[in-house]
Amino acid sequence: MKISKFGGSSLANADQIRKVCDIISDDHSRKVVVVSAPGKRNPGDTKVTDLLIRLAEVILADKDHQKELYSVVDRFNGIAADLELDQYLMEDIESDLKRRVSSDHTDPARFMDLIKAAGEDNCARLVTAYLFSIGKYARYLDPKEAGMFLTDEFGNAQVLPETYDNLRKISDHPGIIVFPGFFGYTLNGDVVTFPRGGSDITGSILAAALEVDVYENWTDVDAVYAINPELVRNPYPMKEITYDEMRELAYAGFSVLHEEALSPAYRKGIPVHIRNTNNPRSPGTVIVKKRKNYEGMVTGIAGAKGFIDVNLSRYLMNREVGFVVKVLKIFADEGVPFEHMPSGIDSISIVLKASQFPEDKETRIIERLKSELDIETINISRNLALVMIVGEAMAKTVGVTARAAGCLSRAGINLEIIDQGASEISVIFGIREEYCDYALKELYKEFFIN
Ligand code: ASP
């Protein structure tokens, strides 16, 4: 059995929904289908979820909301009409939206989630109706009935442990189950959503609960590529990648799956297969626990901008037991998380995301580091990019870091930080932001073309 999750671009219009239903009909093991809300039809278009957020905002601001409401109703009606579905479905969707819009909105976060969830919920009804119309026995499954219970953190929910037992029972349902992604219910019965892009999380939870053979994640790319395809023409498509490699690359900017989505499937060791709705013949990329083949030393290359390095030094720092704990406590007291911490004998670098280090916190932290810990020198280096090479095979290969550093030095790029991840599956180079894309392209040439 497979879980097949389809993203917004796969459901953006009637043609895309036809492709989705062909894919479902093609393989009997595709028994549970998870859908997102209809996404963008073209680059200038707006996703249904964004239309819904706008609708909720207008209502919460006590403004007239008819235009925003009908932008959503019309979007669904247009798809239903193109799929030649019964009029009653369009009426159902419209009355569902009106019911949500007129519900209590004294708690804005709760109201926002109720409205946001309408995209996935109605898309699931629409796909079910279309499958029925082409002679497939399909059933829409309400997440409440299925027992998809989540924490009451609106817009940022997490799965509750009992959900897995509840969902296990859904495999008894006959026919194809169409399950709306992105939301569930609190134990009080309120609709609550995952963070944006959270239909991936729904799919992963279902995959883990049902212990399926594979979690198919259908999107609009042929594969996960070894480098951001905006930087290189025809980049190398990865056939296989491990969860750990994917996690490292996601940290530095790979955004194929929602970050939290891998965890339920990972814990059960279920392979996640990224596939293209627009090109189902393409082999896609499989994310696995352990790889069988390594095609090269490096699996992928990624980079992210917007980091700051706070470098602290004090003579005989290494003699003081617990010194690092005291440093980190000061950052923690101010609620500033650190990303990396390369250290020397008498110096230590705390690498932070610039967005987490506003001026007021910076002033307080620096003052405390000086007064409480007597730190002699504090150098702050801004506009830093972290460039990363990732690959499980690196741990057993001699000379990968040397090759990468050599490549960057030939390119004339100064390395401010070198940090080999403790798991030995990644090496991070801290460089000036303006060289980030150039460095990525040079590293790609070194490891994938040369
Ligand atoms: N529709 C939601 C979003 O746009 C969730 C998803 O597509 O996964 O964020």
Side-chain angles (χ1 to χ4, degrees):
M1 181 157 131
K2 293 173 178 162
I3 296 281
S4 307
K5 180 260 165 181
F6 293 89
S9 61
S10 305
L11 299 150
N13 59 27
D15 280 347
Q16 290 300 91
I17 293 181
R18 283 195 196 95
K19 287 184 200 167
V20 164
C21 293
D22 283 347
I23 291 168
I24 299 168
S25 310
D26 223 38
D27 182 343
H28 291 302
S29 58
R30 293 192 179 117
K31 227 185 128 331
V32 181
V33 175
V34 177
V35 296
S36 285
K40 292 184 181 189
R41 292 161 290 187
N42 52 61
D45 198 15
T46 309
K47 290 174 168 197
V48 164
T49 307
D50 290 312
L51 295 177
L52 288 163
I53 291 173
R54 182 76 199 120
L55 169 63
E57 283 169 352
V58 170
I59 297 170
L60 289 169
D62 269 334
K63 293 194 190 134
D64 180 56
H65 60 264
Q66 290 309 301
K67 189 174 116 235
E68 285 74 16
L69 172 63
Y70 280 93
S71 67
V72 182
V73 173
D74 292 347
R75 198 60 210 279
F76 277 111
N77 278 351
I79 301 176
D82 289 346
L83 291 172
E84 297 175 18
L85 297 175
D86 280 352
Q87 180 66 28
Y88 83 85
L89 180 77
M90 306 187 205
E91 287 162 14
D92 259 14
I93 293 179
E94 185 167 343
S95 55
D96 170 75
L97 287 163
K98 285 185 173 158
R99 177 187 59 78
R100 290 175 197 255
V101 158
S102 55
S103 5
D104 169 47
H105 52 271
T106 43
D107 179 342
R110 191 174 65 179
F111 178 71
M112 177 60 87
D113 272 14
L114 178 67
I115 302 286
K116 268 195 313 198
E120 276 59 20
D121 210 12
N122 287 302
C123 189
R125 292 174 210 273
L126 212 143
V127 170
T128 311
Y130 181 66
L131 282 168
F132 233 94
S133 77
I134 58 169
K136 298 281 158 205
Y137 182 58
R139 179 179 170 202
Y140 155 85
L141 189 56
D142 180 357
K144 192 179 210 167
E145 190 193 329
M148 175 65 93
F149 292 122
L150 312 180
T151 56
D152 56 5
E153 297 160 275
F154 294 102
N156 195 25
Q158 297 188 56
V159 64
L160 290 174
E162 59 264 43
T163 290
Y164 290 99
D165 283 336
N166 301 340
L167 294 178
R168 215 156 282 145
K169 296 175 197 129
I170 74 170
S171 58
D172 300 339
H173 291 282
I176 301 164
I177 293 166
V178 185
F179 201 102
F182 189 42
F183 73 95
Y185 286 82
T186 66
L187 292 174
N188 286 334
D190 292 318
V191 169
V192 63
T193 69
F194 291 117
R196 292 297 304 269
S199 299
D200 284 341
I201 307 176
T202 309
S204 187
I205 292 169
L206 277 160
L210 298 171
E211 300 192 24
V212 293
D213 301 312
V214 55
Y215 168 26
E216 290 184 326
N217 195 291
W218 292 84
T219 172
D220 52 8
V221 287
D222 273 347
V224 182
Y225 296 101
I227 186 169
N228 178 352
E230 283 165 21
L231 295 179
V232 168
R233 215 182 292 156
N234 297 327
Y236 186 77
M238 304 175 191
K239 292 193 188 74
E240 207 179 47
I241 176 170
T242 66
Y243 294 113
D244 292 337
E245 288 172 326
M246 191 69 205
R247 173 85 186 99
E248 300 265 345
L249 289 167
Y251 172 78
F254 271 49
S255 58
V256 181
L257 274 189
H258 191 284
E259 270 198 29
E260 288 170 42
L262 280 182
S263 146
Y266 170 82
R267 272 188 268 117
K268 291 275 170 153
I270 295 165
V272 181
H273 194 175
I274 310 287
R275 305 196 61 180
N276 189 353
T277 302
N278 303 317
N279 184 15
R281 280 158 187 253
S282 153
T285 301
V286 190
I287 309 171
V288 291
K289 205 155 202 165
K290 268 219 156 0
R291 282 173 68 174
K292 289 187 209 88
N293 306 303
Y294 291 96
E295 287 152 73
M297 278 183 269
V298 172
T299 303
I301 295 168
K305 297 177 186 166
F307 290 90
I308 291 186
D309 174 18
V310 182
N311 182 272
L312 317 172
S313 53
R314 201 186 72 184
Y315 196 61
L316 293 181
M317 180 188 270
N318 69 334
R319 296 291 297 272
E320 188 177 327
V321 176
F323 182 79
V324 175
V325 176
K326 289 178 204 156
V327 169
L328 293 181
K329 182 164 182 314
I330 293 178
F331 282 88
D333 287 348
E334 291 293 338
V336 176
F338 78 96
E339 304 294 317
H340 303 278
M341 195 180 48
S343 62
I345 297 169
D346 284 337
S347 71
I348 172 173
S349 268
I350 311 283
V351 181
L352 314 157
K353 282 196 177 131
S355 56
Q356 305 271 12
F357 200 50
E359 228 177 280
D360 56 326
K361 291 194 179 185
E362 176 179 328
T363 315
R364 277 197 300 275
I365 289 176
I366 302 300
E367 253 170 40
R368 285 187 62 188
L369 288 170
K370 284 185 179 159
S371 61
E372 293 172 31
L373 302 183
D374 205 16
I375 293 178
E376 289 150 2
T377 317
I378 302 181
N379 285 316
I380 299 189
S381 167
R382 295 171 205 282
N383 304 327
L384 204 67
L386 297 183
V387 164
M388 213 172 182
I389 55 173
V390 176
E392 300 248 8
M394 277 166 36
K396 296 188 188 70
T397 319
V398 178
V400 186
T401 308
R403 220 173 126 182
C407 155
L408 294 173
S409 110
R410 282 191 300 281
I413 298 170
N414 182 38
L415 305 179
E416 296 191 20
I417 297 173
I418 303 183
D419 189 9
Q420 175 168 311
S423 59
E424 282 195 65
I425 72 164
S426 68
V427 181
I428 295 172
F429 298 102
I431 61 172
R432 297 281 90 219
E433 257 177 12
E434 60 266 34
Y435 296 120
C436 183
D437 290 352
Y438 176 48
L440 292 173
K441 288 186 213 171
E442 289 301 304
L443 287 169
Y444 180 77
K445 270 195 232 155
E446 176 70 30
F447 289 102
F448 289 88
I449 297 178
N450 295 346

